[in-house]
Amino acid sequence: RVDLGDRSYDIVIGSGLLAGCGEAIRAVSRGKRAFIVTDDNVAPHYLDIVRTSLEQAGMRVDHAIMPAGEQAKSWDNLGRLLDAMLAVRSERKTMVVALGGGVIGDLAGFAASILLRGVDFVQVPTTLLSQVDSSVGGKTGINVTQGKNLVGTFYQPRLVLADTAVLRTLPVREVLAGYAEVAKYGLIDDPHLWDWLESGGGAAIARLDEQALQRAILASCTAKARVVASDERESGVRALLNLGHTFGHALEAEGGYGGPLLHGEAVAVGMVMAFDLSVAMGLCPPADAARVRAHLAAVGLPVVPPQVNGQPMNAERLLAHMASDKKVSDGKVTFVLAHGIGQSILCRDVDPPQVLQVLQQAVTVT
Ligand code: NAD
Ligand code: ZN
């Protein structure tokens, strides 16, 4: 349960939940109407089962199918989605159902938060990344020319239903990208989780072992729910969840959204960079950084920035992207660094030349 007073909600994790999702969603709905938002990869697999379950629970169902991919998080698509919701005369009591990965969750959540000044929504995350991270915590938003996720709202769902069975149709590369966020929770403050991942848990998740998946999703959601409950709007500890993300967002921006790196892949490279920077600053033993790099590489995640058009990424430009991150305040970037595995800290006193050195080293090791 995510504890937020009268906005508290449950996260339900299990295999085969979709078939019975209608009753669960009906139970948290104020009315009898649902609007499913999904994408054109997810729809052929799961739209019918969710629609049928909602109808069996007595709800009238409309839906919209967005184009798959990061590009869906745009003003244009937000406008189209709101138009589609209004075209079927959605009401204040309509329940928006976000059925898809983090892209659909962020977009549908944002739409729900502004449609008719706010209608309820539930998250039915269908990627590992969205099950362990983006569906919980209430951050919604879209990308704009100036950067990723720069426009959005804090808006909590009424329920999160994470059905591990749907991960069977997810491309392996996407599973691994989600795995990066699981590893992140271990690196932040759960060395026990990290040890398990390193000693076989990671490999079990990569082959979609049901027990390993449920353990990882539960550990991840528990960690995220705790942080969100204590700092919903990210004035303090919630920023720890950005481990690897300041570097990662710069890599995503430099590669272009929908470019060479998936979000989770960028986070994997970013976490390696954060540990390298921690070592360079004398905060962290080199052996811990080496373990991070070795394990992420062993499961099949990238640990160095990819080349773009046959060229290494430009370190100065990456640094410039970091300075325009939305986490910047008073001109300073807040970095998530670490004293070691499971011992992450927030740090605002980082020397830009030192960051540049880490970036330069990373872009040349391709
Ligand atoms: P995604 O939503 O693009 O999904 C990845 C791909 O898998 C897409 O092509 C999708 O169509 C497909 N897909 C989804 N479920 C499937 C299934 N079960 N079977 C087959 N294909 C399936 O990407 P994502 O990695 O889930 O999410 C990334 C997004 O999440 C980014 O935009 C990122 O900014 C956002 N995010 C948000 C938060 C937050 O707190 N709101 C946190 C982390 C990430
Ligand atoms: Zn992330």
Side-chain angles (χ1 to χ4, degrees):
R1 188 161 182 81
V2 185
D3 223 334
L4 288 166
D6 58 0
R7 290 174 301 117
S8 299
Y9 55 97
D10 288 334
I11 304 165
V12 184
I13 302 160
S15 179
L17 295 177
L18 282 198
C21 72
E23 284 299 336
I25 294 171
R26 171 80 180 87
V28 294
S29 295
R30 290 188 290 153
K32 289 193 166 178
R33 292 190 56 183
F35 192 103
I36 303 172
V37 185
T38 189
D39 74 28
D40 52 17
N41 283 338
V42 177
H45 293 294
Y46 307 113
L47 178 56
D48 278 352
I49 181 169
V50 171
R51 166 184 276 279
T52 304
S53 180
L54 283 162
E55 284 170 353
Q56 281 169 351
M59 303 203 51
R60 180 189 141 186
V61 185
D62 296 290
H63 74 260
I65 300 175
M66 311 305 293
E70 188 67 38
Q71 296 88 331
K73 279 170 61 174
S74 68
W75 282 118
D76 274 1
N77 282 310
L78 178 70
R80 278 191 208 108
L81 178 56
L82 290 168
D83 282 345
M85 289 168 159
L86 291 167
V88 295
R89 299 186 185 283
S90 290
E91 301 163 0
R92 293 293 289 274
K93 291 182 176 175
T94 294
M95 177 62 88
V96 171
V97 179
L99 173 66
V103 165
I104 288 299
D106 283 9
L107 179 69
F110 189 24
S113 73
I114 56 176
L115 178 71
L116 304 172
R117 300 207 170 83
V119 302
D120 288 344
F121 89 116
V122 296
Q123 292 269 19
V124 186
T126 62
T127 61
L128 182 58
L129 184 135
S130 55
Q131 295 187 349
V132 299
D133 189 353
S134 63
S135 63
V136 175
K139 283 191 189 175
T140 81
I142 57 169
N143 305 323
V144 294
T145 328
Q146 290 80 357
K148 206 173 135 68
N149 297 330
L150 289 185
V151 174
T153 53
F154 283 101
Y155 197 68
Q156 301 292 340
R158 293 280 159 200
L159 176 72
V160 179
L161 285 177
D163 183 347
T164 50
V166 304
L167 301 178
R168 308 217 167 272
T169 54
L170 192 64
V172 176
R173 193 175 159 202
E174 297 285 353
V175 174
L176 293 179
Y179 180 76
E181 305 271 9
V182 177
K184 180 186 80 176
Y185 294 107
L187 293 177
I188 292 172
D189 67 353
D190 194 345
H192 184 65
L193 172 65
W194 176 268
D195 288 346
W196 171 66
L197 295 174
E198 226 179 19
S199 61
I205 292 166
R207 61 171 188 269
L208 299 181
D209 174 87
E210 191 60 46
Q211 271 192 326
L213 278 173
Q214 293 196 13
R215 175 171 173 180
I217 298 168
L218 182 63
S220 302
C221 289
T222 305
K224 182 143 188 195
R226 192 183 57 231
V227 171
V228 168
S230 71
D231 179 21
E232 185 181 6
R233 299 210 160 216
E234 199 168 310
S235 46
V237 293
R238 185 164 180 175
L240 284 172
L241 297 175
N242 298 323
L243 174 63
H245 282 64
T246 307
F247 285 109
H249 284 160
L251 293 164
E252 282 183 273
E254 186 60 11
Y257 302 123
L261 287 178
L262 299 174
H263 172 75
E265 292 172 335
V267 169
V269 179
M271 292 192 298
V272 170
M273 288 175 163
F275 270 78
D276 284 348
L277 179 57
S278 305
V279 171
M281 291 173 67
L283 297 168
C284 172
D288 280 27
R291 272 174 76 189
V292 174
R293 186 188 307 271
H295 175 62
L296 296 178
V299 295
L301 279 161
V303 291
V304 291
Q307 299 204 335
V308 182
N309 302 325
Q311 297 291 323
M313 285 189 180
N314 179 297
E316 278 89 7
R317 272 211 308 273
L318 287 171
L319 188 67
H321 284 304
M322 294 170 89
S324 65
D325 197 273
K326 68 181 173 308
K327 309 282 157 40
V328 173
S329 76
D330 303 330
K332 279 196 168 180
V333 181
T334 301
F335 280 88
V336 187
L337 299 176
H339 286 304
I341 286 169
Q343 302 172 59
S344 290
I345 49 159
L346 297 177
C347 186
R348 278 170 60 75
D349 293 307
V350 179
D351 204 19
Q354 209 155 24
V355 181
L356 187 62
Q357 208 172 9
V358 167
L359 290 168
Q360 262 157 353
Q361 236 154 32
V363 295
T364 48
V365 196
T366 33

